[in-house]
Amino acid sequence: MPDSARAGDSTLAVHAGARSAEPGAAVVTPIYQSATFFMDYAPGSAVSYTRYGTNPNHLAVAEKMCALEGAESAVVVASGNAACALALLACVRAGGHVLAQRELYGGTLRLLQRELPALGMEASLLPAGAAAGAEADAAWSTALRPDTRALLLEVPANPTLRIADLDAAVRVGSAHGLPVVVDATFASPINFRPLEHGADLVFHSATKYLGGHSDLSAGVVAGRRELVAEVLEKLVSFGPVLDPHGVWLLERGLRTLAVRMRQHNENGLAVARWLEGHAAVARVLYPGLPSHPDHARAARWFGGHGGVVALVLHGGDEAALRCARRLRLMAYAPSLGGVETLVSMPRYTSHQAVPLDEQRALGIDDGFLRLALGIEDARDLIGDLEQALAPELTRSPHAARP
Ligand SMILES: *Cc1c(COP(=O)(O)O)cnc(C)c1O
């Protein structure tokens, strides 16, 4: 579509990467259920092969993601973790070091702490608690090593929704010629676009908001052309390709991304505000609330704050489990970003492998519940929480506190 950079989010989500409007052609990208494609006889011409990420379904989604993120180039892969792994491997090789913020998805921590060392790379983490401004510049600068090859952030961070000072990381990264890589899964390009802040690569678990229906595993990496070309090299070599039907589902999900995000954002704010006034709730973590430690930055940078709301119950983990069991509309399952609301306790899911004292340092306190709100009506979600939390109010403090 002409001049797509000027169009609005929803227009881009629907139209970017669309096919040419020849009479008789399909309006929707067909599923190219083909592993390979006819070649040109000219030696050295481009080859299309599904594992190369050059299936027309991949190209359509990559183009849409470029428009949404404001990226030069994008690659679609088989999962969010594949996106993370390939993005890092594109920047760092054996003997290199990755410097990351401490607040990270459990799967990312696993990759950094378990797999990179096995490949001859090292990773270290900044201290917990997002510093801002000059303090953040100093935190990144002092932790840099001569062998550091990339800076890694997750904005917002799972599950406390901390918003790291990306501008500080970008200042330090560009001063030292180091690429800044951002996992923006929790934001989606509708709420926040790290490349506009100077990040070099952004990646997503497209399993979450981008796909939006909890029916596929996928990942996307977007950013500077030469780095994305290197990600594509890794995809070709390691092979975590997304199958054509999966890409097609992703393209279908992306068309409604902007309207879904509007509802996730609305629900997040409504539920967070309601929870903050509830007597069984000790703390609510939502960047859209003034009580969130990074609210000011979130208000400046974000178009909306998403559907993930974290809360801490007075009664500890037992109360959190009791509440989860009583929920009727909200399902107890990991993941986020789908149209249906899912509830989980990070202690038993994404952060299972993280020691308890480390979890507490990250802000995952006893009684921590993560709500991944879907696009249902806010009043029904609040009604479900109301009935699930009500019995906690009548329990004596001794019974409720283990
Ligand atoms: C889910 C998730 C991932 C991993 O994505 P998969 O698609 O499950 O591989 C990475 N980062 C964040 C923030 C996530 O929520």
Side-chain angles (χ1 to χ4, degrees):
M1 80 179 249
D3 208 9
S4 58
R6 302 227 181 123
D9 285 338
S10 202
T11 307
L12 290 176
V14 173
H15 290 286
R19 320 178 70 238
S20 61
E22 283 156 41
V27 168
V28 171
T29 317
I31 305 177
Y32 287 80
Q33 195 69 53
S34 183
T36 190
F37 296 84
F38 296 116
M39 285 193 296
D40 199 321
Y41 289 101
S45 56
V47 170
S48 200
Y49 184 63
T50 288
R51 195 189 77 246
Y52 293 2
T54 49
N55 178 303
N57 293 110
H58 292 132
L59 298 179
V61 167
E63 202 178 314
K64 207 185 272 299
M65 285 305 299
C66 282
L68 287 167
E69 291 285 6
E72 292 174 358
S73 186
V75 176
V76 183
V77 297
S79 70
N81 249 58
C84 179
L86 300 193
L88 291 176
L89 292 176
C91 302
V92 188
R93 46 189 67 223
H97 166 252
V98 178
L99 181 58
Q101 71 178 66
R102 187 163 295 261
E103 295 84 355
L104 292 171
Y105 173 69
T108 305
L109 281 174
R110 196 184 157 84
L111 189 65
L112 293 179
Q113 295 175 334
R114 187 188 146 95
E115 300 306 332
L116 290 194
L119 296 170
M121 303 169 209
E122 281 183 47
S124 56
L125 306 176
L126 291 187
E135 234 178 87
D137 285 63
W140 287 101
S141 302
T142 50
L144 278 185
R145 299 183 354 189
D147 57 349
T148 303
R149 293 291 173 267
L151 308 183
L152 173 67
L153 297 92
E154 185 175 304
V155 186
N158 178 47
T160 50
L161 308 163
R162 295 299 307 257
I163 314 273
D165 187 350
L166 173 59
D167 289 350
V170 166
R171 279 192 295 272
V172 172
S174 43
H176 294 84
L178 299 172
V180 174
V181 181
V182 179
D183 180 344
T185 298
F186 273 50
S188 92
I190 305 304
N191 286 344
F192 182 59
R193 289 174 293 281
L195 301 178
E196 290 178 356
H197 287 255
D200 299 279
L201 285 180
V202 57
F203 71 87
H204 291 272
S205 166
T207 312
K208 317 291 171 54
Y209 287 119
L210 304 187
H213 295 75
S214 307
D215 55 7
L216 90 148
S217 279
V220 175
V221 187
R224 271 185 27 223
R225 191 177 310 285
E226 64 276 19
L227 281 175
V228 174
E230 202 48 43
V231 173
L232 195 56
E233 287 289 329
K234 303 301 172 200
L235 171 66
V236 168
S237 297
F238 290 101
V241 72
L242 183 58
D243 72 285
H245 183 250
V247 201
W248 183 86
L249 277 175
L250 177 54
E251 188 184 348
R252 176 179 156 130
L254 279 170
R255 287 199 187 92
T256 56
L257 178 65
V259 287
R260 283 186 288 104
M261 287 314 296
R262 235 172 270 156
Q263 183 81 6
H264 285 296
N265 290 342
E266 247 180 71
N267 285 350
L269 199 55
V271 168
R273 282 183 177 148
W274 181 84
L275 282 169
E276 207 164 38
H278 199 285
V281 177
R283 204 149 60 91
V284 181
L285 285 164
Y286 188 70
L289 294 179
S291 58
H292 190 277
D294 304 317
H295 173 67
R297 200 174 307 139
R300 238 180 310 127
W301 287 358
F302 280 61
H305 306 290
V308 178
V309 178
L311 63 145
V312 178
L313 292 182
H314 279 302
D317 284 351
E318 291 196 14
L321 268 175
R322 282 194 300 269
C323 170
R325 272 188 226 276
R326 288 189 208 107
L327 290 165
R328 295 179 191 143
L329 190 58
M330 303 186 181
Y332 189 61
S335 201
L336 67 127
V339 293
E340 65 288 292
T341 296
L342 303 177
V343 176
S344 63
M345 289 177 69
R347 189 156 282 187
Y348 303 134
T349 54
S350 59
H351 287 69
Q352 206 170 32
V354 179
L356 263 186
D357 53 336
E358 172 85 349
Q359 288 189 23
R360 290 181 184 126
L362 289 172
I364 306 173
D365 294 324
D366 300 344
F368 196 105
L369 265 182
R370 190 188 81 174
L371 311 180
L373 304 173
I375 62 166
E376 302 95 332
D377 296 282
R379 78 191 139 103
D380 296 327
L381 297 173
I382 289 171
D384 196 23
L385 285 166
E386 189 163 31
Q387 64 80 25
L389 286 171
E392 294 307 316
L393 295 174
T394 57
R395 293 178 78 92
S396 81
H398 297 294
R401 275 173 239 257

